[in-house]
Amino acid sequence: MSFGKPVRPLITLSALGAVTALALTGCAGGSAEAGGSGADAKVSRVTITLTNDGRDACAVSSTKVPAGPVTFTVKNESSTAITEVELLQDQRILGEKENLAPGLDAVRFTATLTGGEYQVYCPGAETELTDFTVTGKAASTANSSASTLLRDGAKGYATYVDGQVTDMVAAVQQLQQDIDAGDLDAAKTDYANARPFYEHVESDVDGFVKKGFTATDNAGNLDYLIDMRASNLDPAVGWSGFHAVEKDLFQAGKITASTKQTAADLTEDVQLLAKLVPTLDYKPEDLANGAAGLLEEVQSNKITGEEEAYSHIDLVDLAANVEGARQAFAYLKPGLTKLDPTLTKQIAKQFDATNTLMDGYRDADDLGGFATWDAATKKSDANTISQQIQALQDPLSRLAEKVATA
């Protein structure tokens, strides 16, 4: 976490990304088929069903649809190992649903897709990736310049960030609701579910200051108020945000009137953040710098266990930092491939290696879906993770200069 950094923001997915997100909000849904009738005749419908019948499975009702709007309905019937579903194209997340507990109502997201190859990704399933084909004319980028592709990528990434902040608001509201109800176990689960949204994008949204405050006054710094830790506490401001809630839930093990007020303040701060984030613009180098910043967070705070000192869900945050960096890279990838295909391949290879390493720590029985970062695990595994993150940082550190001079 850093203070006083300029930030940038949010527009719409470009033709480069081959998709424009229309809706990423959850709602109840029923069965779904490709096609439709009446006003929905041009909308393709796909159902993704998560089950455990001796094995964790992710079944996609149709793997080929025509170009245009596609609504994905996701229902977790019985799998505890699969808690999220993502629609990917060339590693970019174009739509997703998380916290998919078995037995909950179906949720949906809609995206407009152009012709090309996509994948449905269900982490934790026996078969995690399902190929998904959209037929029709694909948007060609053959004659686009690298700089145009990079700018388009920055616009696409902006929508990703906007969606993460919006989803964080919903997750924090759920956290406050269960805290207000005095439900300690539910609140602990909510806390772990809410953390990744901020960790995906923290390097992009950490420069906002409330009206009437200076940039050096932590009392108005939204990043400080949302994500301050015991190690960087400003006594003049006091403690608030995620980690103040974390301490009450996991160290004290109780919900007090103070916890309820802290949760309410956190909700208010993330709601303000959600209003401010869409006011900014991104440049390609912002994405590159942000990705590097997220990996620096991994090395400085997550591996040490400093970030989640009470809940010990540091691997949840660490994986989220890596995922946020991967998304920034993925949106720059088409332009970067034109600029420097060798560097692009190096970075992609190291992201794949890092993701494979982190998949080994997934545990559906632990909060947030990852193993607890306790003292024993940290002692045995911290060096291995740090070395892999460094192997990723080395080529990624060259990215900002490369795209800034395109």
Side-chain angles (χ1 to χ4, degrees), residues 172-234:
V172 170
Q173 287 173 330
Q174 182 63 52
L175 172 62
Q176 182 189 352
Q177 179 179 315
D178 285 325
I179 286 176
D180 286 343
D183 191 333
L184 181 64
D185 288 338
K188 286 180 176 180
T189 298
D190 297 337
Y191 175 81
N193 290 342
R195 288 296 292 151
F197 297 114
Y198 196 73
E199 296 296 326
H200 285 150
V201 299
E202 63 178 317
S203 62
D204 299 296
V205 301
D206 64 358
F208 290 103
V209 177
K210 289 183 176 181
K211 256 183 197 178
F213 292 88
T214 65
T216 58
D217 186 352
N218 287 331
N221 186 303
L222 276 180
D223 181 51
Y224 181 82
L225 296 174
I226 290 169
D227 202 32
M228 70 177 81
R229 302 181 301 275
S231 59
N232 69 342
L233 186 64
D234 182 344

Side-chain angles (χ1 to χ4, degrees), residues 88-245:
L88 306 178
Q89 186 181 55
D90 197 17
Q91 296 190 321
R92 287 168 294 176
I93 297 175
L94 306 178
E96 64 179 335
K97 281 297 169 189
E98 298 182 311
N99 306 325
L100 302 171
L104 294 182
D105 289 342
V107 293
R108 294 187 290 181
F109 67 90
T110 300
T112 298
L113 308 178
T114 190
E117 297 301 321
Y118 301 78
Q119 290 176 311
V120 174
Y121 177 42
C122 301
E126 185 171 289
T127 301
E128 294 190 328
L129 290 168
T130 300
D131 291 334
F132 187 80
T133 301
V134 178
T135 59
K137 186 168 178 155
S140 174
T141 61
N143 296 320
S144 299
S145 68
S147 60
T148 297
L149 293 175
L150 291 171
R151 288 195 301 270
D152 287 346
K155 292 178 181 179
Y157 176 75
T159 298
Y160 164 76
V161 175
D162 198 19
Q164 292 299 306
V165 176
T166 298
D167 287 346
M168 177 176 64
V169 171
V172 170
Q173 287 173 330
Q174 182 63 52
L175 172 62
Q176 182 189 352
Q177 179 179 315
D178 285 325
I179 286 176
D180 286 343
D183 191 333
L184 181 64
D185 288 338
K188 286 180 176 180
T189 298
D190 297 337
Y191 175 81
N193 290 342
R195 288 296 292 151
F197 297 114
Y198 196 73
E199 296 296 326
H200 285 150
V201 299
E202 63 178 317
S203 62
D204 299 296
V205 301
D206 64 358
F208 290 103
V209 177
K210 289 183 176 181
K211 256 183 197 178
F213 292 88
T214 65
T216 58
D217 186 352
N218 287 331
N221 186 303
L222 276 180
D223 181 51
Y224 181 82
L225 296 174
I226 290 169
D227 202 32
M228 70 177 81
R229 302 181 301 275
S231 59
N232 69 342
L233 186 64
D234 182 344
V237 177
W239 208 358
S240 67
F242 275 116
H243 296 302
V245 172

Side-chain angles (χ1 to χ4, degrees), residues 351-361:
F351 267 119
D352 287 344
T354 304
N355 288 340
T356 298
L357 176 64
M358 293 310 301
D359 281 345
Y361 295 97

Side-chain angles (χ1 to χ4, degrees), residues 11-27:
I11 318 177
T12 116
L13 279 174
S14 61
L16 176 226
V19 45
T20 300
L22 295 182
L24 294 176
T25 53
C27 56

